[in-house]
Amino acid sequence: MREGYRNELKATKADVVETGRLVIEMTRDAVTSLVEGDVDLAERVIASDDAIDSRCLALEERALEIIATQFPVARDLRLLYSLAHISMHMERMGDLGVNIAKAARRTAARRGPRTLYDLIRAQGNLVHRVLEAMLDAFETNDLELAYKLKEMDEPIDHLFKQFFRELSRLQDEDDIEWASSMVLASRYLERIADHAVDIGERLVYMVTGAFEAFDETNEGQEP
Amino acid sequence: MTPLSGALKPDAPDGSAKFTVRDLDFYYGDFHALTGMNIDIRENSVTAFIGPSGCGKSTFLRCLNRMNDLIPGTRVDGTITLDGQDIYSSGVDPVDLRRRVGMIFQQPNPFPMSIYDNVAFGPRLHGMKKKDELDAVVEQALMRANLWKEVKDIMDRGGLTLSGGQQQRLCIARVLAVQPDVLLMDEPCSAIDPTSVQKVEDLMDELKNTVTIIIVTHNMQQAARVSQETAFFLQERQGEAAELIEFGRTTDIFTSPHDRRTEDYITGRFG
């Protein structure tokens, strides 16, 4: 029944996964550009955001079109409704990736203390894991994995706090200017993971039909 | 929600159920058509029955005003109460029941007589003779059916000269003229044009304030638009009795149904 419609839903879901892959790649490159002071890579990251933005917009349009023409209900409706939120989160993750790349551009000329690079690299790796898990959970409707996202996010928040503590030990004025860009980058990474957790909440709704907030404290924070 | 055998029961405020159906089984001779039906139909609301063809929706609908009694060899087990009274008990006059529980069919079926006489038919049958009383009842019924403005100057014209959509509203007016409590609508919009469908749906929305409406529809968008509660019927295998799979708030049924079979049907995976 409704083969064309079913295929359209599958293709839309595949589009989300594809966009998610781009976001993951972009985040990874943004962190690499920051840690290695690679300005060229940072520029490529910044340029890649347009593609993510247009994909997210296209996803929303596609979801709207299916809603308007196919009268989706139940799990199909929940999928399409969730897509609007998921694409919005992915678009913001892309923006945060751009911010990290811009921080890389600002800080590339000066190398700061090694410990802070190590911390941001470690934080980047953890964020990468959360994003991969988020995308896997979406692709396979894996509720258990969706619920784990919040737990996986916690060490990222801790690393951000640790980053802040390391920062407070710096004395030199130049270091502080450099470090303020770095701490912002760490904050952006932490927010990217928060978006992934928010997507996890949407996944739970998508699969079960129940709205659940994993953590109310994320609400109202800046993107 | 409290699961009952054969259905999910929406939370209904005390005393708000118009019909209460318990453990209903229905037979056409040897054929076991419906089994284990449990449902509370909320008063002054629209309840939609959905499901694939042959799933027992119309059979169940016709149990509610004993229309099936007219088919030889049919049998009902279990109870159906209307306002607390068992409609299959010996004290109930089926003709009076069908006045209280009116029915609208897929194909508009005006009588071959004038618009006025179509609407006055029921009240006359129940003994109303005075012209001024009949005039008032006819006008009121046509107004309730949102047809008065279109026909008030052509009341002597034959009911069959009206458009399909107008004929369906004329049939609704004919039923309303005898002051029913309940309106059973068996695919009332399947044979009329989209503008008329809209008018009938608007009419249902108005009428539900004073009449309990149950609609059988194959159009799930219509069920979602017009009803507050939805029941999903299914005959799982050919030759088996149909069951009431799920009953719940229409919003819940169309966003998060409990039963996988409901979900598969409404999302078009079968049927």
Side-chain angles (χ1 to χ4, degrees):
Chain A
M1 291 294 290
R2 303 178 80 186
E3 274 307 309
Y5 164 64
R6 301 248 76 80
N7 290 339
E8 183 71 3
L9 283 180
K10 267 187 208 160
T12 307
K13 197 167 173 178
D15 262 3
V16 176
V17 174
E18 185 62 28
T19 309
R21 293 260 162 256
L22 290 179
V23 170
I24 291 174
E25 196 179 316
M26 181 207 212
T27 309
R28 192 193 57 213
D29 287 350
V31 173
T32 304
S33 72
L34 184 73
V35 172
E36 294 178 4
D38 187 337
V39 177
D40 288 344
L41 184 58
E43 295 295 355
R44 287 204 297 278
V45 168
I46 292 164
S48 69
D49 188 43
D50 284 349
I52 291 175
D53 285 353
S54 31
R55 287 188 76 105
C56 289
L57 189 64
L59 264 175
E60 276 192 60
E61 285 174 350
R62 196 165 177 177
L64 255 182
E65 192 180 307
I66 300 174
I67 289 170
T69 56
Q70 296 289 340
F71 186 62
V73 292
R75 77 185 105 146
D76 299 345
L77 178 63
R78 298 200 303 270
L79 167 69
L80 293 165
Y81 177 70
S82 300
L83 284 191
H85 290 267
I86 292 172
S87 68
M88 178 195 74
H89 282 299
M90 290 199 304
E91 190 264 329
R92 288 187 184 168
M93 287 162 142
D95 291 346
L96 291 161
V98 167
N99 289 348
I100 295 170
K102 284 180 178 169
R105 207 162 55 179
R106 283 197 304 275
T107 57
R110 179 183 160 75
R111 303 307 290 165
R114 168 93 189 236
T115 41
L116 292 179
Y117 283 115
D118 288 346
L119 274 178
I120 211 135
R121 192 192 295 276
Q123 198 185 12
N125 288 340
L126 290 174
V127 170
H128 191 262
R129 275 184 55 212
V130 170
L131 296 184
E132 287 283 359
M134 175 272 289
L135 208 55
D136 279 357
F138 174 79
E139 205 170 1
T140 58
N141 286 345
D142 187 336
L143 261 188
E144 204 177 329
L145 195 52
Y147 278 118
K148 267 194 194 147
L149 292 172
K150 179 63 200 160
E151 186 187 310
M152 291 172 76
D153 176 53
E154 277 164 17
I156 296 169
D157 296 345
H158 294 151
L159 275 183
F160 172 66
K161 283 170 192 155
Q162 194 181 336
F163 200 93
F164 218 80
R165 280 196 298 275
E166 292 292 334
L167 179 77
S168 64
R169 292 188 190 142
L170 298 176
Q171 301 293 327
D172 182 78
E173 196 177 318
D174 288 345
D175 273 345
I176 290 171
E177 205 176 309
W178 169 88
S180 63
S181 283
M182 294 298 276
V183 83
L184 276 174
S186 173
R187 171 74 171 143
Y188 298 143
L189 271 175
E190 186 250 332
R191 287 298 298 144
I192 287 174
D194 286 346
H195 281 292
V197 174
D198 286 347
I199 289 177
E201 291 175 359
R202 285 286 148 191
L203 296 187
V204 172
Y205 169 71
M206 204 178 90
V207 177
T208 67
F211 284 108
E212 280 185 48
F214 290 172
D215 184 357
E216 301 292 343
T217 57
N218 282 342
E219 284 183 13
Q221 292 192 7
E222 76 273 22
Chain B
M1 293 213 181
T2 312
L4 279 171
S5 165
L8 281 173
K9 177 177 166 286
D11 299 321
D14 287 342
S16 66
K18 190 72 180 173
F19 275 113
T20 302
V21 179
R22 289 292 176 271
D23 301 324
L24 185 92
D25 282 51
F26 180 80
Y27 302 82
Y28 289 110
D30 291 337
F31 178 61
H32 193 176
L34 307 174
T35 187
M37 306 252 166
N38 286 287
I39 193 169
D40 285 352
I41 303 288
R42 194 190 295 269
E43 184 167 30
N44 294 351
S45 71
V46 180
T47 301
F49 290 174
I50 60 168
S53 295
C55 69
K57 311 177 292 283
S58 296
T59 297
F60 183 65
L61 194 73
R62 289 195 301 265
C63 288
L64 298 175
N65 68 348
R66 294 182 56 174
M67 286 283 278
N68 289 324
D69 290 12
L70 306 172
I71 304 169
T74 57
R75 181 162 65 88
V76 172
D77 285 345
T79 57
I80 301 178
T81 62
L82 171 63
D83 290 333
Q85 185 186 19
D86 186 345
I87 64 169
Y88 282 89
S89 69
S90 55
V92 171
D93 172 8
V95 175
D96 185 53
L97 175 70
R98 288 176 205 134
R99 183 197 63 74
R100 288 181 66 195
V101 185
M103 195 150 192
I104 300 294
F105 300 89
Q106 179 176 354
Q107 202 64 43
N109 55 349
F111 299 139
M113 53 180 73
S114 72
I115 293 168
Y116 183 95
D117 288 342
N118 260 281
V119 184
F121 188 88
R124 279 178 177 142
L125 199 69
H126 289 92
M128 191 180 285
K129 289 191 175 65
K130 290 184 183 166
K131 176 87 168 66
D132 55 343
E133 280 179 11
L134 280 170
D135 286 354
V137 166
V138 168
E139 179 177 338
Q140 195 203 19
L142 285 166
M143 283 180 74
R144 286 180 79 196
N146 283 344
L147 190 60
W148 174 248
K149 282 184 190 163
E150 292 160 62
V151 299
K152 65 184 168 59
D153 299 323
I154 52 168
M155 298 289 273
D156 293 334
R157 201 178 286 178
L160 289 162
T161 64
L162 295 172
S163 73
Q166 287 174 323
Q167 287 186 23
Q168 194 60 304
R169 280 180 287 141
L170 177 63
C171 293
I172 294 172
R174 190 174 65 195
V175 172
L176 293 175
V178 295
Q179 306 286 335
D181 294 348
V182 181
L183 209 49
L184 307 179
M185 305 177 97
D186 196 352
E187 295 188 55
C189 297
S190 301
I192 59 180
D193 66 281
T195 310
S196 300
V197 169
Q198 187 58 56
K199 285 182 178 166
V200 171
E201 289 183 2
D202 288 346
L203 180 56
M204 291 168 71
D205 196 51
E206 289 168 29
L207 288 176
K208 78 169 193 295
N209 296 318
T210 48
V211 181
T212 302
I213 297 175
I214 305 170
I215 177 173
V216 166
T217 176
H218 276 120
N219 181 337
M220 279 177 287
Q221 297 178 44
Q222 181 173 60
R225 280 195 301 268
V226 302
S227 72
Q228 286 72 58
E229 272 145 14
T230 296
F232 170 59
F233 293 73
L234 183 65
Q235 181 191 34
E236 290 241 57
R237 274 167 288 275
Q238 193 71 29
E240 283 186 3
E243 291 174 73
L244 176 50
I245 302 296
E246 185 166 354
F247 176 47
R249 290 196 319 140
T250 297
T251 316
D252 294 336
I253 294 282
F254 284 98
T255 55
S256 311
H258 283 76
D259 195 287
R260 184 72 185 204
R261 293 165 292 181
T262 313
E263 179 138 32
D264 284 349
Y265 175 69
I266 63 173
T267 55
R269 285 170 171 84
F270 74 87

